[in-house]
Amino acid sequence: AETVALSVGRDAGGTGIYRVTADGTATELAISSGAPYGVFGAIPAVDAAGTVAFYATRDAGGSGIFKVTADGTTTTVADTAGPAFSGFGTVPSINAAGTVAFTANRKGGGTGVYTVTAAGALTTVATTDSPTFDLFGVTPILNSSGAIAVTANRDAGGAGIY
């Protein structure tokens, strides 16, 4: 079934992350008017199983990439409370295997493109530590085979989709 994910304003205040199925059924997954979330990224991502990945700030401070499975289980994919990241691009991507791709700023400096599998394994795809890239766009696109496309500025000048 076709499913979309939306970040929209709520009549009751704040914004919400919703999963909407082809028959029009909307399920509220997370809201910003009350703990734990403050602000959501504009575009959540959804996979074929109905798992939704999204960016959010936390009321208590910090930010992260989160996902909600079809059964309603919410997990943290990556966040600023851990040792690795100081901030995130606001538009993650998710594929059919449940792998989430995102861009992030590292606490030690620099930025990168990362994936986290459904089992929680973190992989560094590319970083600004290399002599190739200077800056990444906020929206990596992840396909079903695990390949990622992302916009980036090159150290040598110019930009492109890689």
Side-chain angles (χ1 to χ4, degrees):
E2 295 295 319
T3 303
V4 298
L6 305 169
S7 175
V8 296
R10 300 171 64 238
D11 289 340
T15 57
I17 300 289
Y18 295 85
R19 179 179 33 244
V20 183
T21 58
D23 67 2
T25 301
T27 303
E28 185 176 81
L29 305 175
I31 59 172
S32 67
S33 56
Y37 306 112
V39 176
F40 296 115
I43 306 171
V46 63
D47 69 10
T51 298
V52 175
F54 60 94
Y55 163 85
T57 63
R58 287 192 167 132
D59 286 338
S63 63
I65 303 294
F66 306 91
K67 69 179 180 178
V68 181
T69 59
D71 69 4
T73 302
T74 302
T75 57
T76 301
V77 175
D79 65 12
T80 56
F85 303 115
S86 63
F88 297 90
T90 59
V91 184
S93 180
I94 187 168
N95 69 9
T99 298
V100 177
F102 56 92
T103 58
N105 299 324
R106 293 190 321 265
K107 286 187 176 175
T111 63
V113 179
Y114 303 90
T115 61
V116 174
T117 65
L122 173 70
T123 299
T124 300
V125 177
T127 69
T128 56
D129 292 339
S130 74
T132 305
F133 298 112
D134 179 51
L135 178 69
F136 296 102
V138 297
T139 311
I141 304 299
L142 177 65
N143 72 12
S144 60
S145 66
I148 296 175
V150 65
T151 59
N153 293 344
R154 297 179 58 83
D155 284 340
I161 299 172
Y162 303 93

